[in-house]
Amino acid sequence: MKYKLIIDKNAEEEIIAIVHAPSSLTQQIENLVCSFSGTKYIMGYRNDEIRKLDFHEIECITIIDRKVIAIDTGNNQYRLQERLRDLEAILPSYFIRINKSSLANEHCIMRFDAAFSGGIDALFKCGYREYVSRRCFAEIKRRYEGI
């Protein structure tokens, strides 16, 4: 396999991959390229603080009291001004929908726990716990089985 990177500030950006057959690697490359929007952070608001939140430090984005909230690696909550569906379009592909009102950084999910009610919860590295809907869990299982 050959790899070539040409950095030219005056040229239009393009990515070309020539492969013999599609594979999980080509799918991952495609997901990475398609999900990159040029932005690597969003602005979060807490009390009088405004903070630039890098995507990799956000563990979960959810709706709490009708406000879009980002939960970071320190279990701190920041209010976001963007709507959840708008965020879904700009976030990298490692953010997955886990229920109707939550997106999760799949790299930060420690495990899935079965609840007594028959549901499933995602437990994050920071200690935050969020419900996973049956429909989203089925999609997550298909995603992991495809790897």
Side-chain angles (χ1 to χ4, degrees):
M1 180 183 289
K2 294 181 184 179
Y3 174 76
K4 182 190 248 184
L5 175 65
I6 301 170
I7 299 174
D8 183 357
K9 292 181 180 181
N10 299 322
E12 182 181 353
E13 290 184 342
E14 74 175 323
I15 297 175
I16 300 171
I18 301 170
V19 297
H20 295 287
S23 66
S24 62
L25 176 63
T26 59
Q27 184 63 44
Q28 288 175 352
I29 292 170
E30 183 179 356
N31 290 342
L32 177 67
V33 171
C34 291
S35 69
F36 183 70
S37 64
T39 305
K40 296 181 182 178
Y41 64 88
I42 52 177
M43 300 306 287
Y45 303 85
R46 184 173 70 169
N47 300 330
D48 293 334
E49 176 186 4
I50 299 173
R51 182 160 171 248
K52 184 166 63 171
L53 299 169
D54 290 331
F55 291 152
H56 65 84
E57 68 180 307
I58 297 172
E59 294 200 5
C60 184
I61 298 174
T62 190
I63 307 282
I64 299 175
D65 295 330
R66 303 183 77 189
K67 293 178 178 64
V68 180
I69 303 294
I71 299 164
D72 71 358
T73 53
N75 205 9
N76 300 310
Q77 296 184 1
Y78 294 90
R79 188 178 43 81
L80 303 178
Q81 291 186 336
E82 296 84 356
R83 298 178 78 140
L84 200 62
R85 66 173 171 245
D86 297 335
L87 287 169
E88 194 171 20
I90 65 166
L91 288 169
S93 62
Y94 55 84
F95 277 88
I96 55 177
R97 185 166 286 277
I98 58 172
N99 63 43
K100 188 173 125 181
S101 60
S102 298
L103 299 169
N105 181 340
E106 70 178 329
H107 301 308
C108 296
I109 297 174
M110 282 184 23
R111 66 178 183 266
F112 294 100
D113 287 339
F116 290 113
S117 62
I120 296 172
D121 290 344
L123 182 64
F124 293 88
K125 291 178 182 177
C126 69
Y128 183 73
R129 180 181 293 266
E130 182 66 52
Y131 169 74
V132 180
S133 71
R134 289 183 306 208
R135 178 179 291 153
C136 292
F137 189 69
E139 181 62 35
I140 292 167
K141 279 177 52 176
R142 279 194 292 276
R143 182 178 178 144
Y144 285 130
E145 288 170 356
I147 294 177

